[in-house]
Amino acid sequence: MGLPRCVTLWEAGPRDGLQNEPGVVPTAIKVELIERLADCGLTHIEATSFVSPKWVPQMGDHAEVMAQLKPRPGVLHQVLTPNMRGYEAARAAGAEAIGVFAAASESFSRRNIDCGIEESIERFRPVVEAARRDGVKVRGFVSVVVGCPFEGDIPPQQTAKVARQLYDLGCDDIGLGDTIGVGTPGKIKAMIEACARLVPLEALGGHFHDTYGQALANTLAALECGIARHDASIAGLGGCPYAPGATGNVATEDLVYMLDGLGIQTGVDLKKLVQTAWWISDRLGRPPASRVAKAMKSKCL
Ligand code: HMG
Ligand code: MG
């Protein structure tokens, strides 16, 4: 089918997952989750975000999380930084990879980061410049790539334009976020094709939320387009506090089960992932959203 032979997984659970919990998860649990995810073989882990604690109190312990993480060769801990203030705090905490996050719709941009798209790009410019100067890797996210909770359907060209702006700023890769999980494979393919006309395909990644149960199908569609970087969240945790109704990313264990079945290498141990999904879910007091975690529970625990 012309699918990539190996896929780089970005684990989003500790950030995208725990930012959406109703309560604040204790720092020690966050840190243990990140360590356990690395033990599963995940090499790219989104650890926290250096956003305003007034906006997202769940991530208010960002510096403590970073301070308690053991340095781990071969594992990149990435953090979100919406502005220079966040970048400086992230660097002081030792971050070596950051993410800036824009949106394909004006309304979502204003709700999420309190400014319009063009202003957000100008706000990210010094952040990305500083990161490049400091040898820090930078991801650029585009949210609501196919649908927005406030504006509805988003034309592919609108998403592609923002993806290109982030790429031109100097982002190493562009995460295409279906923030509210409304995409279906045809729409995702059309959006990726539009982006790939303006940004090299190798620089594009998928970040698909599973609100409507489409995230695995959408990931397969993206794989068929040649996208080899995908975000996922352990146990399917997550959502964005500023995207009403959004649930978590595709569960990491569901995605790895599918990739294993397709013979696509990830370097990740499925059994350990399932154990980790149950470990964090037990701490949060509910079962994982993941089908694979439930199906494999008796074989793994
Ligand atoms: P603002 O209110 O316009 O900013 O928020 P401000 O400059 O007026 O600052 C307000 C207060 O926050 C001030 O404090 C600042 O000092 C402080 P005060 O003077 O009132 O005491 N502040 C900060 N504190 C800590 N760290 C900072 C920081 N910046 C300002 N970096 C701002 C603008 C961007 C800060 C705010 O809108 C914000 O933090 N937004 C973040 C929202 C968020 O985290 N959303 C979820 C992540 S994005 C996501 O989930 C989507 C993604 O997964 C992809 C997808 O699914 O599509 C990535
Ligand atoms: Mg997200």
Side-chain angles (χ1 to χ4, degrees), residues 27-39:
T27 307
I29 291 182
K30 293 178 176 173
V31 171
E32 185 168 347
L33 175 62
I34 296 167
E35 304 289 2
R36 282 175 181 256
L37 290 164
D39 289 341

Side-chain angles (χ1 to χ4, degrees), residues 166-189:
L166 289 174
Y167 186 71
D168 284 346
L169 275 189
C171 294
D172 299 297
D173 75 82
I174 310 297
L176 298 168
D178 181 10
T179 318
I180 53 170
V182 287
T184 44
K187 283 189 181 174
I188 293 290
K189 279 192 171 170

Side-chain angles (χ1 to χ4, degrees), residues 133-205:
R133 188 190 60 227
D134 298 343
V136 168
K137 286 194 186 305
V138 194
R139 296 190 88 197
F141 288 95
V142 187
S143 285
V144 298
V145 290
V146 289
C148 167
F150 314 109
E151 294 184 18
D153 287 350
I154 299 294
Q157 295 73 13
Q158 199 169 313
T159 295
K161 182 180 167 208
V162 181
R164 175 62 193 244
Q165 283 176 300
L166 289 174
Y167 186 71
D168 284 346
L169 275 189
C171 294
D172 299 297
D173 75 82
I174 310 297
L176 298 168
D178 181 10
T179 318
I180 53 170
V182 287
T184 44
K187 283 189 181 174
I188 293 290
K189 279 192 171 170
M191 180 274 296
I192 290 172
E193 280 161 15
C195 290
R197 280 195 275 278
L198 300 185
V199 176
L201 194 61
E202 315 78 74
L204 298 174

Side-chain angles (χ1 to χ4, degrees), residues 15-16 207 209 249:
R15 193 281 303 170
D16 200 321
H207 177 103
H209 285 260
N249 289 91

Side-chain angles (χ1 to χ4, degrees), residues 232-243:
S233 176
I234 192 74
L237 296 175
C240 174
Y242 294 97

Side-chain angles (χ1 to χ4, degrees), residues 15-16 19 50 52 54 83 85 112 114 143 179 207:
R15 193 281 303 170
D16 200 321
Q19 76 178 10
F50 285 80
S52 166
K54 287 189 181 150
N83 51 21
R85 164 127 188 232
N112 196 38
D114 204 24
S143 285
T179 318
H207 177 103

